[in-house]
Amino acid sequence: MATLRRPLVIAHRGASGYLPEHTLAAKALAFAQGADYLEQDLVVSRDDELIVVHDIHLDRISDVAVRYPGRSRPDGRFYVRDFTLAELRTLRATERVNEAGSAVYPERFPPAVGSFELHTLDEELAFVAGLARSTGRVVGIYPELKRPAWHREQGVDIGKLLFGKLTEFGYRRRDDPVYVQCFDFAELERWRHDFDSELKLVQLIGDNAWQESPTDFDWALSEPGLAEIGKIADALGPWIPTLIDPKTSRPAAWVDSAHRRGLALHPFTVRADDLIVGFDRLRALLEWLVFDARVDGFFTDFPDIAVDFLDESVFSGRA
């Protein structure tokens, strides 16, 4: 049996279990809690700035409806792409709420509290570099290209913008501490072939019902799909339920196939307050991911809990 390596702890939108997602405060806390990588979801503003925000919409994570009540699209949503950076800087970033305005996770940081702000990728990369300088510890970055096909429909090439920005900040080589993730396989192919990128690429795997990208995730987890993805990507980022065989509760058959092809597994999302169906304790989920599925890393809203679990188990030091 291969030696079990310590999985990477990837801070999902920062330490988002404790502070509003994708704020610099949440990233600072995740760094302090020992995360190996910090995630940056990216959407493009009207003036083509890369904004660190999870959705193409603003209304569930900010006070945009209050500050700009007439700026929604016909579907009633407020889109990042419709606002300039200067306008986005006037918004107050908040804990995530649902359509009714109630907190998605009621026990987390109160949505009505704080003066958090949205920020650009430039600002976060400078922030990460500053942490490395002041502490002597390098933390990796894990940017996600949100809906590249949709962005092209809106008149902007988010992939080209991100590639240029990472190059500008010195992220160019395969061994640099960066993974680029996307649900859209065609975009990863562009990065590898059109951009000739050496960076580590991650094919995200969701549910087709999400309509997150043109990629068929059933195909992605088939033998032909894994073979094609293995030519392009370095890792898969699967939604945790896709890892689990519902009949046996063991890892799905495709998990071994992915590992045989050299694809690392970085599933999402480990949450203490939103457990995956079939697990009644967070520790049980972590044990299953690490020792049964033998994942190579995982996204979590609670980096401190993940780091403590790994420190208390068979691992020592950093992977």
Side-chain angles (χ1 to χ4, degrees), residues 126-266:
F127 180 76
V128 166
L131 288 172
R133 178 174 177 174
S134 62
T135 68
R137 182 169 84 84
V138 173
V139 68
I141 62 169
Y142 214 117
E144 180 186 344
L145 291 149
K146 302 298 291 190
R147 301 197 179 189
W150 180 87
H151 273 95
R152 284 193 292 274
E153 292 173 357
Q154 305 299 309
V156 63
D157 187 341
I158 188 174
K160 188 174 181 180
L161 287 178
L162 177 58
F163 180 77
K165 193 60 62 179
L166 293 178
T167 301
E168 176 187 336
F169 275 81
Y171 295 99
R172 302 183 180 93
R173 295 171 298 278
R174 183 175 181 79
D175 59 352
D176 287 334
V178 54
Y179 285 89
V180 176
Q181 57 176 330
C182 192
F183 282 102
D184 192 335
F185 179 60
E187 183 65 22
L188 297 182
E189 288 184 301
R190 288 184 70 214
W191 275 66
R192 195 64 83 208
H193 297 315
D194 297 354
F195 298 164
D196 197 26
S197 175
E198 297 181 12
L199 299 180
K200 297 181 287 294
L201 303 179
V202 182
Q203 173 65 54
L204 295 174
I205 304 293
D207 188 302
N208 286 331
W210 300 348
Q211 298 183 324
E212 186 67 35
S213 87
T215 300
D216 179 355
F217 299 126
D218 293 333
W219 165 83
L221 297 182
S222 69
E223 286 298 319
L226 290 172
E228 288 302 306
I229 291 170
K231 297 174 184 177
I232 299 296
D234 301 279
L236 298 176
W239 183 39
I240 291 174
T242 66
L243 288 168
I244 304 169
D245 184 328
K247 296 180 180 178
T248 66
S249 297
R250 299 292 300 165
W254 67 263
V255 172
D256 275 344
S257 182
H259 274 139
R260 286 196 305 271
R261 296 180 184 280
L263 288 164
L265 295 180
H266 295 171

Side-chain angles (χ1 to χ4, degrees), residues 239-246 248-251 269-293:
W239 183 39
I240 291 174
T242 66
L243 288 168
I244 304 169
D245 184 328
T248 66
S249 297
R250 299 292 300 165
T269 305
V270 174
R271 295 184 172 107
D273 50 1
D274 188 11
L275 288 173
I276 301 297
V277 173
F279 296 91
D280 59 0
R281 296 178 299 113
L282 181 60
R283 186 176 184 89
L285 172 60
L286 290 169
E287 288 174 346
W288 189 92
L289 289 171
V290 173
F291 300 115
D292 291 327

Side-chain angles (χ1 to χ4, degrees), residues 43-51 53 55-58 71 73 78-85 87-88 150-158 161:
V43 182
V44 184
S45 69
R46 191 169 74 190
D47 45 356
D48 293 349
E49 292 283 350
L50 288 166
I51 308 300
V53 61
D55 304 329
I56 60 174
H57 312 110
L58 291 161
R71 296 282 292 277
R73 292 194 183 188
F78 293 77
Y79 287 72
V80 176
R81 182 64 178 159
D82 295 339
F83 293 82
T84 65
L85 175 59
E87 291 171 329
L88 293 170
W150 180 87
H151 273 95
R152 284 193 292 274
E153 292 173 357
Q154 305 299 309
V156 63
D157 187 341
I158 188 174
L161 287 178

